[in-house]
Amino acid sequence: MSDVLEFAAVSVVRGGKTLLDAVDWQVKEGERWVIMGPNGAGKTTLLQIAGGRMHPTRGVAGILEEVLGTVDVFELRPRIGLASAALANQIPEHETVLNVVLTASYGMTGRWREKYEKLDERRAFRLLHDWGMSTFMNRNFASLSEGERKRVQIARALMTDPELLLLDEPAAGLDLAGREDLVARLSELAADEEAPAMVLVTHHLEEVPPGFTHALLLRDGGVVASGPIEEVFTEENLSTAFDVPLNVQHDGGRWSATARR
Ligand SMILES: Nc1ncnc2c1ncn2[C@@H]1O[C@H](COP(=O)(O)OP(=O)(O)O)[C@@H](O)[C@H]1O
Ligand SMILES: [Mg+2]
């Protein structure tokens, strides 16, 4: 199996602050990773590097058999699907749902004068259908509920048929039903052998979709633990990462944690 990500001693320093501290990390084809850690641990920063949106200050970031810094990122980025709040914020208020998905094929967030093939339109429609959003395709993105918006963003991230799918807190802001719906859909995607390698960022164990295979635990920019999910999500590791004694439950493929009293 070839390497999707191969990070060696990746560090990011900004304004004298170490956001990532010598992170080693390997993601192989077919793997589904969760990046977990408290607020400010460096999860988004790590995902930005994996998406070719940021360069490490030190270390080497291998992405899809290319080395960041020696490759044209504009050729690399279409091979990676990314859904994040930062990207969603760039979507123009009146953009239609269909265009939000369609414009991903040009790496744009708003439709301008570019022409799309019928094939692209069919793929966008198909993805919206898969994510339960086809009846919304002519609606303004801004008019959707948070859960609907999240599903459109994932459809968009899949538009270029990427080899790597990066999701930064896809369940943030969802109510309980919305979260459960999304977790089930992501679990289904994780089980699809045709689906790309996946990396999902969250700070809630309850948001980890069944079928995710690996986890990376971050704290203060450093790796607490990394590897097969059941070896990583121990009470000891999670308590260390979140700096609070935790009871961890694992039942029916789902994870949850509460503070130990
Ligand atoms: N440009 C920057 N300069 C200084 N600090 C930054 C910069 N960008 C992010 N940070 C800080 O780096 C830390 C890690 O950020 P981030 O990767 O967004 O964490 P997470 O996604 O785990 O919450 C945070 O404390 C954040 O405030
Ligand atoms: Mg973040």
Side-chain angles (χ1 to χ4, degrees):
M1 271 196 285
S2 60
D3 282 332
V4 174
L5 294 173
E6 186 160 19
F7 286 13
V10 164
S11 296
V12 173
V13 181
R14 288 282 184 281
K17 188 171 183 275
T18 301
L19 312 190
L20 287 177
D21 191 10
V23 172
D24 294 321
W25 184 31
Q26 275 194 7
V27 173
K28 295 194 181 296
E29 254 177 60
E31 292 180 348
R32 282 84 176 86
W33 280 77
V34 179
I35 301 179
M36 170 88 57
N39 285 324
K43 305 182 296 296
T44 294
T45 305
L46 191 63
L47 214 63
Q48 289 294 312
I49 293 177
R53 261 78 177 175
M54 189 194 281
H55 287 256
T57 311
R58 287 187 298 273
V60 179
I63 304 174
L64 299 171
E65 317 249 274
E66 305 282 357
V67 173
L68 202 55
T70 69
V71 59
D72 180 353
V73 288
F74 294 99
E75 282 179 23
L76 188 59
R77 285 179 194 167
R79 300 173 62 196
I80 304 164
L82 173 67
S84 69
L87 197 70
N89 286 338
Q90 290 173 21
I91 294 168
E93 204 167 315
H94 299 296
E95 199 56 277
T96 66
V97 165
L98 182 64
N99 281 344
V100 169
V101 178
L102 205 48
T103 50
S105 40
Y106 280 92
M108 301 176 56
T109 43
R111 185 136 184 192
W112 181 228
R113 285 178 180 149
E114 67 282 3
K115 286 248 188 294
Y116 293 94
E117 308 280 335
K118 265 273 165 288
L119 205 68
D120 290 335
E121 283 178 9
R122 271 205 292 273
R123 178 167 176 82
F125 184 79
R126 176 84 231 165
L127 284 163
L128 283 169
H129 176 80
D130 289 350
W131 289 85
M133 291 302 296
S134 53
T135 55
F136 294 78
M137 68 176 198
N138 295 316
R139 280 265 295 273
N140 286 351
F141 182 70
S143 74
L144 301 180
S145 76
E146 197 54 40
E148 290 159 356
R149 244 178 268 172
K150 288 293 185 336
R151 270 140 58 198
V152 172
Q153 287 172 65
I154 297 172
R156 173 189 160 88
L158 291 165
M159 180 64 195
T160 59
D161 194 16
E163 293 153 75
L164 171 61
L165 179 65
L166 306 174
L167 306 172
D168 196 351
E169 299 203 29
L174 300 186
D175 64 19
L176 187 57
R179 180 193 80 187
E180 289 302 293
D181 175 71
L182 190 70
V183 166
R185 288 173 184 276
L186 290 173
S187 181
E188 221 175 281
L189 185 66
D192 183 350
E193 283 179 14
E194 302 282 300
M198 294 166 68
V199 180
L200 179 151
V201 166
T202 177
H203 44 222
H204 293 300
L205 273 184
E206 290 76 5
E207 293 175 0
V208 174
F212 271 60
T213 58
H214 291 73
L216 178 78
L217 264 182
L218 279 181
R219 174 184 169 175
D220 296 332
V223 176
V224 173
S226 167
I229 200 162
E230 283 169 32
E231 291 170 24
V232 171
F233 283 171
T234 63
E235 288 185 340
E236 195 185 346
N237 286 340
L238 286 160
S239 299
T240 302
F242 286 94
D243 201 22
V244 55
L246 293 171
N247 287 317
V248 174
Q249 288 88 39
H250 183 207
D251 184 26
R254 297 296 297 275
W255 297 84
S256 61
T258 48
R260 201 178 297 156
R261 291 181 180 273

